[in-house]
Amino acid sequence: MKLVRTLFLCLVLVVKLSYSQEEGEEVEAEAPEEHAEGPGGEVVDERKPCAGWMGGVPGTPGHNGASGRDGRDGRDGTKGDTGEPGAPGEKGDTGEPGLTGPEGPRGFPGTPGLKGDQGESALLYRSAFSVGLIDRTPMPNVPIKFNKIFYNGQRHYDDSTGKFRCSIPGVYYFTYHLTVYLKDVKVSLYKSDKTIMFTFDQFQENNIDQASGSIVLHLETGEEVWLQVYGEEAYAGIYADNINDSTFSGFLLYPDMKTVNGDR
């Protein structure tokens, strides 16, 4: 830039000097030539050469030149220090649930839990009986009185009436096995004066047969269950002796929950 500026100043100076020289020549052309005469009458040219013409007045500084082109980008500086952490932003919305992953491997068994409190024994609610027949031919259409007692610990079976009377409401199981001899047998199981089921067996001459049945019933307190020959005496072939028995049994399966909880 300095070299360009210097050349530009020199060019301006040369132009100004040329312009000044032309004006001087025009003045000299217009003025009459005056020559001094010497002692012998000769004409003496008083003009002297311009010594030091280069020593003219400096010209006016020129205008600033146009800006040069941008230089090349410098090299990257060294990495600065890590800045301070910014303030936490607001919590974003909950995203959509992801897909269910594959089932993981089965874990190891856990440690056994503490022993629980002792429950209420089912033996607190007992009701059972098992009885057999003594009379060979019971009467029809009346409860069969099984007078041979095998078990009647709670005395819920009444051998004087032949009926089981419910004292603990719940679900009961009843079963009977009857020896059939000399006549056909048609027997029915009653619950509170209502026939629940029938069993029929046809006697074969010179043969001893068996008739049996079983049922599960729900009983309320005070309801009764019994067996009786159904119909005519011709169906009263129930038999018993010292080697053949006809039996009737029943027992409580489980009491009602209200009974277990003491709400009797």
Side-chain angles (χ1 to χ4, degrees):
M1 292 296 291
K2 289 183 178 182
L3 179 60
V4 173
R5 186 174 182 181
T6 302
L7 291 176
F8 181 79
L9 291 176
C10 290
L11 179 60
V12 171
L13 182 60
V14 170
V15 171
K16 292 181 69 66
L17 289 177
S18 298
Y19 180 79
S20 298
Q21 187 175 2
E22 289 178 356
E23 286 184 347
E25 289 177 355
E26 290 178 357
V27 172
E28 288 178 358
E30 294 176 357
E33 293 183 356
E34 294 181 358
H35 301 285
E37 295 182 354
E42 67 274 13
V43 178
V44 180
D45 188 2
E46 294 180 353
R47 292 180 302 176
K48 297 180 181 180
C50 182
W53 60 271
M54 294 292 293
V57 179
T60 303
H63 298 290
N64 294 333
S67 301
R69 296 179 180 178
D70 295 336
R72 297 179 181 178
D73 295 336
R75 296 179 180 178
D76 295 337
T78 57
K79 184 177 180 180
D81 298 334
T82 302
E84 296 293 332
E90 296 181 359
K91 183 178 181 180
D93 297 333
T94 303
E96 295 293 333
L99 299 176
T100 303
E103 183 177 356
R106 185 173 182 178
F108 294 101
T111 56
L114 299 176
K115 185 177 180 180
D117 298 333
Q118 184 175 0
E120 192 172 4
S121 175
L123 297 178
L124 296 176
Y125 306 97
R126 293 179 293 181
S127 180
F129 73 95
S130 183
V131 293
L133 187 65
I134 295 177
D135 297 331
R136 294 185 178 183
T137 306
M139 296 297 294
N141 299 318
V142 294
I144 301 173
K145 296 180 181 180
F146 292 87
N147 303 118
K148 189 176 182 178
I149 306 300
F150 299 110
Y151 178 81
N152 191 22
Q154 295 77 40
R155 299 186 181 277
H156 293 164
Y157 173 80
D158 187 353
D159 59 348
S160 65
T161 62
K163 297 180 179 181
F164 169 81
R165 184 178 181 84
C166 175
S167 298
I168 303 174
V171 177
Y172 287 80
Y173 176 80
F174 295 96
T175 183
Y176 51 89
H177 300 274
L178 307 175
T179 299
V180 179
Y181 186 60
L182 299 178
K183 297 179 182 179
D184 296 339
V185 167
K186 189 174 184 181
V187 68
S188 58
L189 184 141
Y190 281 78
K191 171 188 173 183
S192 299
D193 295 326
K194 182 179 180 181
T195 303
I196 302 299
M197 65 181 295
F198 292 95
T199 299
F200 176 77
D201 186 83
Q202 189 174 17
F203 170 70
Q204 301 295 328
E205 190 174 356
N206 299 323
N207 189 23
I208 296 178
D209 203 358
Q210 295 286 330
S212 63
S214 59
I215 193 171
V216 174
L217 295 175
H218 179 271
L219 299 180
E220 297 290 347
T221 303
E223 291 186 311
E224 296 177 322
V225 176
W226 68 90
L227 288 175
Q228 73 181 38
V229 174
Y230 188 84
E232 301 175 358
E233 188 176 353
Y235 296 111
I238 301 174
Y239 180 81
D241 58 20
N242 58 342
I243 58 174
N244 295 285
D245 285 305
S246 294
T247 62
F248 179 39
S249 303
F251 55 86
L252 174 67
L253 290 176
Y254 54 86
D256 289 344
M257 290 303 297
K258 60 183 180 180
T259 303
V260 174
N261 294 331
D263 297 332
R264 292 181 57 188

PDB file of all heavy atoms in Angstrom, residues 2-3 10 32 39 42 54 60-62 66 69 81 106 113 126 135 141 177 197 202 220 222 224 233-234 245:
ATOM      1  N   LYS A   2       1.936   1.261   0.762  1.00  0.00           N
ATOM      2  CA  LYS A   2       2.833   2.441   0.799  1.00  0.00           C
ATOM      3  C   LYS A   2       3.429   2.725  -0.569  1.00  0.00           C
ATOM      4  O   LYS A   2       3.546   3.873  -1.007  1.00  0.00           O
ATOM      5  CB  LYS A   2       3.932   2.218   1.827  1.00  0.00           C
ATOM      6  CG  LYS A   2       3.429   2.269   3.269  1.00  0.00           C
ATOM      7  CD  LYS A   2       4.577   2.110   4.251  1.00  0.00           C
ATOM      8  CE  LYS A   2       4.086   2.197   5.683  1.00  0.00           C
ATOM      9  NZ  LYS A   2       5.211   2.083   6.646  1.00  0.00           N
ATOM     10  N   LEU A   3       3.818   1.653  -1.291  1.00  0.00           N
ATOM     11  CA  LEU A   3       4.425   1.828  -2.617  1.00  0.00           C
ATOM     12  C   LEU A   3       3.434   2.433  -3.580  1.00  0.00           C
ATOM     13  O   LEU A   3       3.761   3.351  -4.360  1.00  0.00           O
ATOM     14  CB  LEU A   3       4.920   0.471  -3.134  1.00  0.00           C
ATOM     15  CG  LEU A   3       5.551   0.479  -4.529  1.00  0.00           C
ATOM     16  CD1 LEU A   3       6.773   1.414  -4.565  1.00  0.00           C
ATOM     17  CD2 LEU A   3       5.950  -0.925  -4.934  1.00  0.00           C
ATOM     18  N   CYS A  10       3.790  10.810  -6.717  1.00  0.00           N
ATOM     19  CA  CYS A  10       4.782  11.232  -7.745  1.00  0.00           C
ATOM     20  C   CYS A  10       4.076  11.593  -9.038  1.00  0.00           C
ATOM     21  O   CYS A  10       4.420  12.575  -9.721  1.00  0.00           O
ATOM     22  CB  CYS A  10       5.790  10.115  -7.984  1.00  0.00           C
ATOM     23  SG  CYS A  10       6.907   9.870  -6.586  1.00  0.00           S
ATOM     24  N   PRO A  32       6.367  41.082 -24.771  1.00  0.00           N
ATOM     25  CA  PRO A  32       7.421  41.449 -25.769  1.00  0.00           C
ATOM     26  C   PRO A  32       8.785  41.131 -25.238  1.00  0.00           C
ATOM     27  O   PRO A  32       9.048  41.214 -24.047  1.00  0.00           O
ATOM     28  CB  PRO A  32       7.205  42.966 -25.976  1.00  0.00           C
ATOM     29  CG  PRO A  32       6.564  43.428 -24.689  1.00  0.00           C
ATOM     30  CD  PRO A  32       5.724  42.303 -24.223  1.00  0.00           C
ATOM     31  N   PRO A  39      27.823  46.440 -23.862  1.00  0.00           N
ATOM     32  CA  PRO A  39      28.650  47.633 -24.097  1.00  0.00           C
ATOM     33  C   PRO A  39      28.884  47.835 -25.582  1.00  0.00           C
ATOM     34  O   PRO A  39      29.022  48.983 -26.062  1.00  0.00           O
ATOM     35  CB  PRO A  39      29.941  47.314 -23.367  1.00  0.00           C
ATOM     36  CG  PRO A  39      29.576  46.298 -22.318  1.00  0.00           C
ATOM     37  CD  PRO A  39      28.494  45.553 -22.908  1.00  0.00           C
ATOM     38  N   GLU A  42      25.518  44.909 -28.424  1.00  0.00           N
ATOM     39  CA  GLU A  42      24.872  43.624 -28.705  1.00  0.00           C
ATOM     40  C   GLU A  42      23.773  43.342 -27.710  1.00  0.00           C
ATOM     41  O   GLU A  42      23.753  43.836 -26.613  1.00  0.00           O
ATOM     42  CB  GLU A  42      25.906  42.474 -28.683  1.00  0.00           C
ATOM     43  CG  GLU A  42      26.491  42.202 -27.301  1.00  0.00           C
ATOM     44  CD  GLU A  42      27.715  43.095 -26.955  1.00  0.00           C
ATOM     45  OE1 GLU A  42      27.925  44.062 -27.680  1.00  0.00           O
ATOM     46  OE2 GLU A  42      28.408  42.776 -25.945  1.00  0.00           O
ATOM     47  N   MET A  54      13.052  21.613  -9.568  1.00  0.00           N
ATOM     48  CA  MET A  54      12.383  20.526  -8.883  1.00  0.00           C
ATOM     49  C   MET A  54      11.936  20.940  -7.495  1.00  0.00           C
ATOM     50  O   MET A  54      11.236  20.230  -6.818  1.00  0.00           O
ATOM     51  CB  MET A  54      13.311  19.310  -8.796  1.00  0.00           C
ATOM     52  CG  MET A  54      13.625  18.691 -10.128  1.00  0.00           C
ATOM     53  SD  MET A  54      12.173  17.920 -10.845  1.00  0.00           S
ATOM     54  CE  MET A  54      11.949  16.609  -9.676  1.00  0.00           C
ATOM     55  N   THR A  60      -1.279  19.101  -3.476  1.00  0.00           N
ATOM     56  CA  THR A  60      -2.324  18.697  -2.509  1.00  0.00           C
ATOM     57  C   THR A  60      -2.366  17.182  -2.418  1.00  0.00           C
ATOM     58  O   THR A  60      -2.353  16.490  -3.453  1.00  0.00           O
ATOM     59  CB  THR A  60      -3.677  19.229  -2.952  1.00  0.00           C
ATOM     60  OG1 THR A  60      -3.604  20.636  -3.091  1.00  0.00           O
ATOM     61  CG2 THR A  60      -4.772  18.849  -1.935  1.00  0.00           C
ATOM     62  N   PRO A  61      -2.455  16.599  -1.192  1.00  0.00           N
ATOM     63  CA  PRO A  61      -2.535  15.120  -1.068  1.00  0.00           C
ATOM     64  C   PRO A  61      -3.756  14.573  -1.809  1.00  0.00           C
ATOM     65  O   PRO A  61      -4.816  15.193  -1.822  1.00  0.00           O
ATOM     66  CB  PRO A  61      -2.651  14.888   0.441  1.00  0.00           C
ATOM     67  CG  PRO A  61      -2.089  16.139   1.050  1.00  0.00           C
ATOM     68  CD  PRO A  61      -2.412  17.266   0.112  1.00  0.00           C
ATOM     69  N   GLY A  62      -3.589  13.457  -2.438  1.00  0.00           N
ATOM     70  CA  GLY A  62      -4.697  12.845  -3.168  1.00  0.00           C
ATOM     71  C   GLY A  62      -5.707  12.164  -2.232  1.00  0.00           C
ATOM     72  O   GLY A  62      -5.513  12.059  -1.032  1.00  0.00           O
ATOM     73  N   ALA A  66      -9.238   2.926  -2.852  1.00  0.00           N
ATOM     74  CA  ALA A  66     -10.285   1.951  -2.500  1.00  0.00           C
ATOM     75  C   ALA A  66      -9.731   0.894  -1.556  1.00  0.00           C
ATOM     76  O   ALA A  66      -8.544   0.576  -1.579  1.00  0.00           O
ATOM     77  CB  ALA A  66     -10.830   1.304  -3.770  1.00  0.00           C
ATOM     78  N   ARG A  69      -8.922  -6.096  -0.829  1.00  0.00           N
ATOM     79  CA  ARG A  69      -9.702  -7.304  -0.591  1.00  0.00           C
ATOM     80  C   ARG A  69      -9.448  -7.839   0.819  1.00  0.00           C
ATOM     81  O   ARG A  69      -8.407  -7.591   1.395  1.00  0.00           O
ATOM     82  CB  ARG A  69      -9.342  -8.375  -1.622  1.00  0.00           C
ATOM     83  CG  ARG A  69      -9.687  -7.978  -3.039  1.00  0.00           C
ATOM     84  CD  ARG A  69      -9.273  -9.096  -3.990  1.00  0.00           C
ATOM     85  NE  ARG A  69      -9.587  -8.734  -5.369  1.00  0.00           N
ATOM     86  CZ  ARG A  69      -9.294  -9.508  -6.421  1.00  0.00           C
ATOM     87  NH1 ARG A  69      -8.693 -10.692  -6.214  1.00  0.00           N
ATOM     88  NH2 ARG A  69      -9.621  -9.133  -7.639  1.00  0.00           N
ATOM     89  N   ASP A  81     -11.990 -22.570  27.970  1.00  0.00           N
ATOM     90  CA  ASP A  81     -12.404 -23.310  29.162  1.00  0.00           C
ATOM     91  C   ASP A  81     -13.900 -23.609  29.108  1.00  0.00           C
ATOM     92  O   ASP A  81     -14.684 -22.882  28.489  1.00  0.00           O
ATOM     93  CB  ASP A  81     -12.099 -22.496  30.428  1.00  0.00           C
ATOM     94  CG  ASP A  81     -10.596 -22.241  30.586  1.00  0.00           C
ATOM     95  OD1 ASP A  81      -9.823 -23.064  30.064  1.00  0.00           O
ATOM     96  OD2 ASP A  81     -10.231 -21.226  31.204  1.00  0.00           O
ATOM     97  N   ARG A 106     -36.600 -66.587  34.916  1.00  0.00           N
ATOM     98  CA  ARG A 106     -37.270 -66.818  36.190  1.00  0.00           C
ATOM     99  C   ARG A 106     -36.302 -66.566  37.342  1.00  0.00           C
ATOM    100  O   ARG A 106     -35.150 -67.004  37.315  1.00  0.00           O
ATOM    101  CB  ARG A 106     -37.781 -68.256  36.248  1.00  0.00           C
ATOM    102  CG  ARG A 106     -38.600 -68.565  37.485  1.00  0.00           C
ATOM    103  CD  ARG A 106     -39.216 -69.948  37.397  1.00  0.00           C
ATOM    104  NE  ARG A 106     -40.038 -70.237  38.555  1.00  0.00           N
ATOM    105  CZ  ARG A 106     -40.716 -71.368  38.717  1.00  0.00           C
ATOM    106  NH1 ARG A 106     -40.678 -72.287  37.776  1.00  0.00           N
ATOM    107  NH2 ARG A 106     -41.445 -71.554  39.801  1.00  0.00           N
ATOM    108  N   GLY A 113     -42.070 -66.915  54.042  1.00  0.00           N
ATOM    109  CA  GLY A 113     -42.680 -65.896  54.886  1.00  0.00           C
ATOM    110  C   GLY A 113     -42.824 -66.363  56.323  1.00  0.00           C
ATOM    111  O   GLY A 113     -42.536 -67.516  56.669  1.00  0.00           O
ATOM    112  N   ARG A 126     -68.469 -80.296  64.148  1.00  0.00           N
ATOM    113  CA  ARG A 126     -68.583 -81.719  63.815  1.00  0.00           C
ATOM    114  C   ARG A 126     -70.034 -82.153  63.865  1.00  0.00           C
ATOM    115  O   ARG A 126     -70.785 -81.776  64.765  1.00  0.00           O
ATOM    116  CB  ARG A 126     -67.755 -82.561  64.799  1.00  0.00           C
ATOM    117  CG  ARG A 126     -66.251 -82.333  64.680  1.00  0.00           C
ATOM    118  CD  ARG A 126     -65.498 -83.168  65.696  1.00  0.00           C
ATOM    119  NE  ARG A 126     -65.779 -82.711  67.067  1.00  0.00           N
ATOM    120  CZ  ARG A 126     -65.238 -83.266  68.147  1.00  0.00           C
ATOM    121  NH1 ARG A 126     -64.420 -84.316  68.015  1.00  0.00           N
ATOM    122  NH2 ARG A 126     -65.535 -82.798  69.343  1.00  0.00           N
ATOM    123  N   ASP A 135     -84.537-104.403  62.271  1.00  0.00           N
ATOM    124  CA  ASP A 135     -85.748-105.049  61.775  1.00  0.00           C
ATOM    125  C   ASP A 135     -85.562-105.420  60.306  1.00  0.00           C
ATOM    126  O   ASP A 135     -85.053-104.641  59.502  1.00  0.00           O
ATOM    127  CB  ASP A 135     -86.949-104.111  61.916  1.00  0.00           C
ATOM    128  CG  ASP A 135     -87.248-103.778  63.372  1.00  0.00           C
ATOM    129  OD1 ASP A 135     -86.952-104.622  64.232  1.00  0.00           O
ATOM    130  OD2 ASP A 135     -87.758-102.665  63.621  1.00  0.00           O
ATOM    131  N   ASN A 141     -93.858 -96.045  53.765  1.00  0.00           N
ATOM    132  CA  ASN A 141     -94.384 -94.673  53.879  1.00  0.00           C
ATOM    133  C   ASN A 141     -94.209 -94.051  55.256  1.00  0.00           C
ATOM    134  O   ASN A 141     -94.930 -93.108  55.606  1.00  0.00           O
ATOM    135  CB  ASN A 141     -95.871 -94.646  53.484  1.00  0.00           C
ATOM    136  CG  ASN A 141     -96.085 -95.092  52.043  1.00  0.00           C
ATOM    137  OD1 ASN A 141     -95.326 -94.705  51.149  1.00  0.00           O
ATOM    138  ND2 ASN A 141     -97.093 -95.937  51.830  1.00  0.00           N
ATOM    139  N   HIS A 177     -76.656 -97.860  51.953  1.00  0.00           N
ATOM    140  CA  HIS A 177     -76.400 -99.149  51.305  1.00  0.00           C
ATOM    141  C   HIS A 177     -77.388-100.157  51.901  1.00  0.00           C
ATOM    142  O   HIS A 177     -77.351-100.449  53.099  1.00  0.00           O
ATOM    143  CB  HIS A 177     -74.957 -99.602  51.546  1.00  0.00           C
ATOM    144  CG  HIS A 177     -73.935 -98.637  51.006  1.00  0.00           C
ATOM    145  ND1 HIS A 177     -73.502 -98.682  49.710  1.00  0.00           N
ATOM    146  CD2 HIS A 177     -73.291 -97.605  51.600  1.00  0.00           C
ATOM    147  CE1 HIS A 177     -72.605 -97.716  49.520  1.00  0.00           C
ATOM    148  NE2 HIS A 177     -72.461 -97.049  50.656  1.00  0.00           N
ATOM    149  N   MET A 197     -84.761 -87.808  46.347  1.00  0.00           N
ATOM    150  CA  MET A 197     -84.283 -88.794  45.375  1.00  0.00           C
ATOM    151  C   MET A 197     -84.922 -90.153  45.643  1.00  0.00           C
ATOM    152  O   MET A 197     -85.393 -90.430  46.756  1.00  0.00           O
ATOM    153  CB  MET A 197     -82.754 -88.899  45.407  1.00  0.00           C
ATOM    154  CG  MET A 197     -82.188 -89.426  46.722  1.00  0.00           C
ATOM    155  SD  MET A 197     -80.379 -89.514  46.707  1.00  0.00           S
ATOM    156  CE  MET A 197     -80.110 -90.768  45.450  1.00  0.00           C
ATOM    157  N   GLN A 202     -84.838-104.350  41.750  1.00  0.00           N
ATOM    158  CA  GLN A 202     -85.752-105.486  41.551  1.00  0.00           C
ATOM    159  C   GLN A 202     -85.114-106.774  42.081  1.00  0.00           C
ATOM    160  O   GLN A 202     -83.986-107.110  41.724  1.00  0.00           O
ATOM    161  CB  GLN A 202     -86.060-105.643  40.062  1.00  0.00           C
ATOM    162  CG  GLN A 202     -87.155-106.659  39.785  1.00  0.00           C
ATOM    163  CD  GLN A 202     -87.534-106.666  38.317  1.00  0.00           C
ATOM    164  OE1 GLN A 202     -86.801-106.158  37.468  1.00  0.00           O
ATOM    165  NE2 GLN A 202     -88.697-107.225  38.029  1.00  0.00           N
ATOM    166  N   GLU A 220     -80.176 -76.095  56.522  1.00  0.00           N
ATOM    167  CA  GLU A 220     -80.259 -75.030  57.515  1.00  0.00           C
ATOM    168  C   GLU A 220     -80.575 -75.653  58.871  1.00  0.00           C
ATOM    169  O   GLU A 220     -81.033 -76.804  58.961  1.00  0.00           O
ATOM    170  CB  GLU A 220     -81.343 -74.028  57.128  1.00  0.00           C
ATOM    171  CG  GLU A 220     -81.092 -73.285  55.830  1.00  0.00           C
ATOM    172  CD  GLU A 220     -79.940 -72.297  55.921  1.00  0.00           C
ATOM    173  OE1 GLU A 220     -79.486 -72.005  57.062  1.00  0.00           O
ATOM    174  OE2 GLU A 220     -79.494 -71.819  54.863  1.00  0.00           O
ATOM    175  N   GLY A 222     -82.252 -77.016  61.924  1.00  0.00           N
ATOM    176  CA  GLY A 222     -83.607 -77.501  62.168  1.00  0.00           C
ATOM    177  C   GLY A 222     -84.159 -78.370  61.062  1.00  0.00           C
ATOM    178  O   GLY A 222     -85.173 -79.056  61.278  1.00  0.00           O
ATOM    179  N   GLU A 224     -84.543 -81.615  58.600  1.00  0.00           N
ATOM    180  CA  GLU A 224     -84.377 -83.037  58.880  1.00  0.00           C
ATOM    181  C   GLU A 224     -84.235 -83.837  57.585  1.00  0.00           C
ATOM    182  O   GLU A 224     -84.785 -83.461  56.540  1.00  0.00           O
ATOM    183  CB  GLU A 224     -85.565 -83.569  59.680  1.00  0.00           C
ATOM    184  CG  GLU A 224     -85.690 -82.944  61.071  1.00  0.00           C
ATOM    185  CD  GLU A 224     -86.907 -83.428  61.813  1.00  0.00           C
ATOM    186  OE1 GLU A 224     -87.968 -83.604  61.164  1.00  0.00           O
ATOM    187  OE2 GLU A 224     -86.819 -83.630  63.040  1.00  0.00           O
ATOM    188  N   GLU A 233     -96.322-102.053  50.340  1.00  0.00           N
ATOM    189  CA  GLU A 233     -95.466-102.970  51.098  1.00  0.00           C
ATOM    190  C   GLU A 233     -94.691-103.904  50.169  1.00  0.00           C
ATOM    191  O   GLU A 233     -93.668-104.471  50.561  1.00  0.00           O
ATOM    192  CB  GLU A 233     -96.317-103.776  52.075  1.00  0.00           C
ATOM    193  CG  GLU A 233     -95.516-104.627  53.042  1.00  0.00           C
ATOM    194  CD  GLU A 233     -96.391-105.336  54.063  1.00  0.00           C
ATOM    195  OE1 GLU A 233     -97.602-105.060  54.098  1.00  0.00           O
ATOM    196  OE2 GLU A 233     -95.850-106.169  54.820  1.00  0.00           O
ATOM    197  N   ALA A 234     -95.153-104.058  48.933  1.00  0.00           N
ATOM    198  CA  ALA A 234     -94.456-104.921  47.973  1.00  0.00           C
ATOM    199  C   ALA A 234     -93.053-104.401  47.667  1.00  0.00           C
ATOM    200  O   ALA A 234     -92.210-105.139  47.130  1.00  0.00           O
ATOM    201  CB  ALA A 234     -95.278-105.023  46.685  1.00  0.00           C
ATOM    202  N   ASP A 245     -76.023-106.250  56.261  1.00  0.00           N
ATOM    203  CA  ASP A 245     -76.430-104.982  56.877  1.00  0.00           C
ATOM    204  C   ASP A 245     -77.056-104.062  55.834  1.00  0.00           C
ATOM    205  O   ASP A 245     -76.719-104.090  54.642  1.00  0.00           O
ATOM    206  CB  ASP A 245     -75.229-104.268  57.500  1.00  0.00           C
ATOM    207  CG  ASP A 245     -74.781-104.913  58.812  1.00  0.00           C
ATOM    208  OD1 ASP A 245     -75.625-105.050  59.701  1.00  0.00           O
ATOM    209  OD2 ASP A 245     -73.589-105.277  58.895  1.00  0.00           O
TER     210      ASP A 245
END
